[in-house]
Amino acid sequence: MILDLSLKELEEYVLQLGEQKYRAKQLFEGAQALKELQEISNLPKSLKEKVQKDYFSYEVAAHLVSKDGTQKVAIRLADGSVVESVLLSYKYGHTVCVSTQVGCRMGCKFCASTLNGLQRNLTAGEILLQVLFFNKLLGGNLKERKVTNVVLMGCGEPLDNFDNVTKFLRLVTAEEGLNISMRNISLSTCGLVPNIYKLADDGFSVTLTISLHAPNDELRKTIMPIANAYKIDEILRACDYYFEKTGRRICFEYSLIEGLNDTDECVQELAKILRGRSCHVNLIPLNSVKEKKLLGVSRKKAYVIADKLQKLGISATVRRSLGQDIDGACGQLRNRVGGAK
Ligand code: SAH
């Protein structure tokens, strides 16, 4: 698919088609503006015919706007798979939350994305498409970019789709592309340790966000199957390595579940394991998922916990909860069959 290719790769591609190299730029700009092939007026018909089979296609299966302004789109891809993405608008810019897989195989007990397991990995171009979609919707283009930030926090585990995700990071940060800076990108993972090292070694300096959700392995195992594969200790060592390599402060997500991980002991233990590290804790009152029995804490309680952590020397804030009424908040994204709502 054309959006999987960098400008350089597109140049090789057009040469292979027997076309001139400069056509690549025209094709690149047209595709990244999400134009239909027919709409790219500076390309000859003969080239369009050759490119047609590799061009992208998608449909908007659903588009919802929350009362807080957050937007969610369900995009039906060429093979019929549906992916959900969210646009969060702030005073300082626009953030797109992208999905990296159709479904997810991590099996976290509180998350909607994993309910039907993993269907397939998304390609780099399919992840990029989600960002380009909102950039276009906001009236932006490659020269006048509207999307300022990207978070890999939608459906799927980004580090379980490492090659496509890193390719996406290269595409979205490319100077000739959307040119979004690495520091404006957050990648959230449940903690696939070997790939945290790989990300650092491959020179990616995105903000690494770890879904921790528990201060010890026993408790973590009850809600996150991945805890059976990697210990918190190993995750923290990988985070230290990532910090050394990139100088980027690590963010820890901690979704607060009533009566489970919100106790005083948990807060003390969390502070203890994170003490001395350059990090930030983002507290998220669990968002409700109708198939799940777990309950979130009140925002008031979350603020009390943030305060306790601060007093214990750990930087902590409560994440704003946006798009809850359109199932667009953390852990609520899924690949709805047919995109129906
Ligand atoms: N697979 C990646 C990306 C998902 S990002 C990861 O695990 O980090 C989504 C974030 O929301 C993760 O921190 C995830 O654990 C959290 N989350 C999942 N379900 C949630 C829910 N119902 N309420 C609040 N947060 C949730």
Side-chain angles (χ1 to χ4, degrees), residues 251-262:
C251 183
F252 292 96
E253 285 162 307
Y254 195 98
S255 295
L256 292 160
I257 308 170
E258 184 70 50
L260 194 101
N261 61 0
D262 61 342

Side-chain angles (χ1 to χ4, degrees), residues 74-237:
I75 297 177
R76 190 176 293 111
L77 301 167
D79 72 339
S81 303
V82 174
V83 289
E84 293 192 345
S85 330
V86 175
L87 174 73
L88 305 134
S89 294
Y90 301 96
K91 273 197 218 88
Y92 58 81
H94 298 281
T95 299
V96 175
C97 174
V98 294
S99 291
T100 53
Q101 296 180 313
V102 184
C104 182
R105 60 184 183 136
M106 293 298 125
C108 298
K109 291 281 186 292
F110 42 80
C111 183
S113 305
T114 198
L115 283 167
N116 297 315
L118 176 68
Q119 274 82 67
R120 71 169 173 88
N121 281 330
L122 291 178
T123 70
E126 288 170 335
I127 306 172
L128 182 66
L129 171 68
Q130 303 168 52
V131 185
L132 295 171
F133 174 83
F134 281 117
N135 196 53
K136 184 175 184 180
L137 189 83
L138 292 165
N141 51 47
L142 285 189
K143 290 191 185 71
E144 230 180 289
R145 194 191 61 207
K146 297 284 185 197
V147 172
T148 52
N149 298 66
V150 172
V151 296
L152 289 84
M153 296 189 179
C155 282
E157 166 50 50
L159 295 187
D160 190 36
N161 182 15
F162 190 86
D163 292 345
N164 292 318
V165 162
T166 48
K167 177 89 197 275
F168 158 73
L169 293 176
R170 289 199 184 94
L171 291 173
V172 80
T173 55
E175 217 171 293
E176 64 276 12
L178 280 175
N179 196 13
I180 293 180
S181 142
M182 283 280 177
R183 42 181 58 240
N184 288 357
I185 301 177
S186 292
L187 183 150
S188 180
T189 176
C190 60
L192 302 190
V193 169
N195 285 348
I196 296 176
Y197 285 101
K198 215 164 150 212
L199 196 66
D201 287 338
D202 289 356
F204 293 98
S205 54
V206 294
T207 301
L208 182 65
T209 302
I210 305 286
S211 298
L212 197 60
H213 306 325
N216 61 61
D217 292 321
E218 293 73 68
L219 183 59
R220 199 164 187 259
K221 280 179 194 169
T222 66
I223 48 177
M224 298 177 75
I226 194 67
N228 293 298
Y230 303 109
K231 294 194 174 59
I232 291 178
D233 237 17
E234 296 173 89
I235 296 177
L236 293 179
R237 264 184 277 136

Side-chain angles (χ1 to χ4, degrees), residues 23-44:
R23 293 292 185 196
K25 187 109 202 260
Q26 297 173 328
L27 191 53
F28 183 83
E29 285 173 356
Q32 297 235 345
L34 294 191
K35 285 188 177 165
E36 299 272 348
L37 196 49
Q38 303 320 323
E39 283 180 86
I40 311 179
S41 50
N42 50 6
L43 287 180

